[in-house]
Amino acid sequence: MKTTLLLAALPAATIALPTWPWNKPHGHNKPLKYSGLDVLAKRAGLKYFGTAIDNVVLDNPTYISIAHNRSEFGQVTPSNGQKWMYIEPVQNKFNFTLGDQITVPAKKKGQLRRCHNFVWHNQLPDWLTGRNWTKPELVKVLENHIKHEAKHYYNDCIAWDVVNEAFEDDAVASLRKDIWLDVIGKEYIELAFKFARKYTKPGTKLYYNDYAIERVNNKSRAVAALVKDFKKRHIPIDGVGLQAHYTVGRAPSYDEQLATHKLFSDLGVETALTELDVRIQLPDNATLQAQQGAVYANSTKACLDADDCVGITVWDFWDPVSWVPSTFPGFGNADIWDANFTKKPAYYAISDLLRSYD
């Protein structure tokens, strides 16, 4: 199975179960009218609650019926199909099939689309990484790729993750050593945003997206410095995506997350939780699932209480297609539906928290 290779190493934190309504034994005295997560999120003031969708599971009708249920998910993100290795597998030969398999049905169902991504150090084709480029050559390659992909999805994307994971996890949050930095230099980031603004539809939100920036730490401060510099020099940037790949027992608190949203909103950009999941160290049990629900609820509440957090996207919703087990051996069950397509306590944690804002 192809998975998104995002290595989220989060510092330890103690999770305390909150006292919100969902933390009571689930089951109401009388039936409640059903409302999916997106309906509840919009009532609570968000623009969307969404999910990533990967192409490997498109032949499963039960999965598809949930993924494109607009009541549950008002927005979708192609988790892999818009990445460089699939979009431009041969230089200047573009193939939008995998991206379209996600965006076209979503558009028909009236779901918003977040698009992911233009520039990343990973999942690049061999023709790009397997030769030496001059700086002018690689700048032209970068612009050409963004131009063609942005134009193909011109009417499809409310937002683009323009640059993904440009910072390292070292003590000083230095820029990641990759083909872009090595050949073009640090200005590749601003060039990507300039090209994105040039070729995307006016009004499309341009995001910087990264993991382990959900606390105020060296990495999130480095991203904030980038945003501040861009704003000062009028480089287009509209948002920061907090990937939010969390672990039960090590996730940031509500207060820590709210402070991070404020760090970016104070700079005049919106935020979103772009890849939310919460992995459990296996074997799973009811206590861990309750703690997982607390993390999902904390994250949802922080977004709702932030000034400019616009929405939440879970990084898929069904445990069997999660990227977690292949990347973090011994961990899993990170999503909000289990293998039997049963809603987990985490689903109800989110749902009941959103209801409390209605």
Side-chain angles (χ1 to χ4, degrees):
M1 180 188 302
K2 290 187 177 68
T3 55
T4 308
L5 302 176
L6 306 170
L7 303 178
L10 300 176
T14 301
I15 295 176
L17 291 178
T19 57
W20 300 317
W22 75 267
N23 200 34
K24 297 183 290 188
H26 200 77
H28 300 274
N29 293 329
K30 59 182 180 178
L32 292 174
K33 183 178 179 181
Y34 173 75
S35 293
L37 297 179
D38 186 70
V39 171
L40 294 172
K42 286 186 170 74
R43 289 178 186 168
L46 299 180
K47 291 183 179 179
Y48 60 80
F49 194 100
T51 186
I53 302 174
D54 203 356
N55 303 77
V56 297
V57 74
L58 296 183
D59 60 350
N60 187 310
T62 303
Y63 176 93
I64 290 301
S65 69
I66 299 171
H68 289 301
N69 178 352
R70 194 173 65 179
S71 173
E72 294 287 7
F73 301 120
Q75 171 268 319
V76 301
T77 298
S79 57
N80 278 294
Q82 291 177 320
K83 291 173 182 173
W84 200 308
M85 66 184 293
Y86 304 113
I87 294 293
E88 194 179 358
V90 177
Q91 186 174 6
N92 211 32
K93 303 291 184 182
F94 294 88
N95 186 340
F96 301 103
T97 301
L98 294 182
D100 290 356
Q101 286 176 355
I102 309 300
T103 60
V104 171
K107 192 171 185 178
K108 289 179 179 178
K109 292 294 185 178
Q111 295 169 298
L112 303 173
R113 283 81 61 200
R114 285 195 85 260
C115 295
H116 176 81
N117 53 62
F118 283 136
V119 185
W120 192 26
H121 68 277
N122 217 330
Q123 290 183 257
L124 298 173
D126 291 341
W127 68 263
L128 182 58
T129 59
R131 59 158 285 185
N132 294 323
W133 301 92
T134 66
K135 179 176 177 177
E137 286 174 337
L138 194 59
V139 169
K140 288 181 180 179
V141 167
L142 178 63
E143 180 172 10
N144 188 59
H145 180 84
I146 291 175
K147 173 184 176 180
H148 281 82
E149 188 167 17
K151 286 192 170 183
H152 180 82
Y153 292 107
Y154 189 80
N155 292 311
D156 291 320
C157 305
I158 62 165
W160 266 103
D161 291 330
V162 177
V163 175
N164 196 48
E165 301 176 6
F167 288 92
E168 294 279 12
D169 298 320
D170 55 29
V172 295
S174 56
L175 286 173
R176 185 182 300 277
K177 296 271 302 171
D178 61 12
I179 185 174
W180 310 112
L181 185 67
D182 291 345
V183 178
I184 299 175
K186 65 180 182 180
E187 62 265 37
Y188 86 85
I189 303 175
E190 67 181 76
L191 287 172
F193 277 89
K194 288 177 178 177
F195 296 151
R197 179 63 78 219
K198 181 177 180 180
Y199 295 113
T200 57
K201 185 176 182 178
T204 303
K205 300 294 186 179
L206 305 182
Y207 270 67
Y208 176 79
N209 192 53
D210 216 328
Y211 65 90
I213 60 170
E214 299 83 10
R215 289 180 174 89
V216 178
N217 55 26
N218 286 340
K219 193 171 182 179
S220 61
R221 291 188 190 98
V223 176
L226 176 80
V227 172
K228 186 176 182 179
D229 175 61
F230 277 19
K231 287 290 188 178
K232 181 179 179 180
R233 295 191 294 118
H234 304 290
I235 308 299
I237 187 168
D238 303 302
V240 173
L242 313 177
Q243 289 184 9
H245 293 296
Y246 295 148
T247 307
V248 167
R250 299 171 58 201
S253 68
Y254 160 80
D255 288 334
E256 288 173 320
Q257 293 178 77
L258 188 61
T260 304
H261 288 294
K262 186 176 186 302
L263 173 69
F264 295 115
S265 65
D266 283 352
L267 296 173
V269 293
E270 66 185 40
T271 56
L273 301 183
T274 55
E275 305 183 16
L276 176 63
D277 56 19
V278 183
R279 59 186 177 269
I280 290 173
Q281 187 166 9
L282 304 175
D284 199 353
N285 59 50
T287 299
L288 291 172
Q289 288 196 20
Q291 292 176 338
Q292 180 185 56
V295 177
Y296 271 106
N298 271 327
S299 302
T300 302
K301 181 174 173 58
C303 180
L304 286 166
D305 290 348
D307 289 338
D308 293 297
C309 183
V310 298
I312 298 169
T313 306
V314 292
W315 203 242
D316 224 305
F317 62 90
W318 189 42
D319 280 339
V321 292
S322 170
W323 69 293
V324 166
S326 63
T327 306
F328 300 97
F331 289 82
N333 295 0
D335 297 331
I336 58 178
W337 265 264
D338 69 15
N340 297 316
F341 288 108
T342 300
K343 296 171 183 175
K344 295 160 62 175
Y347 176 96
Y348 295 107
I350 299 166
S351 176
D352 289 350
L353 189 279
L354 291 170
R355 286 179 191 278
S356 74
Y357 280 71
D358 189 354

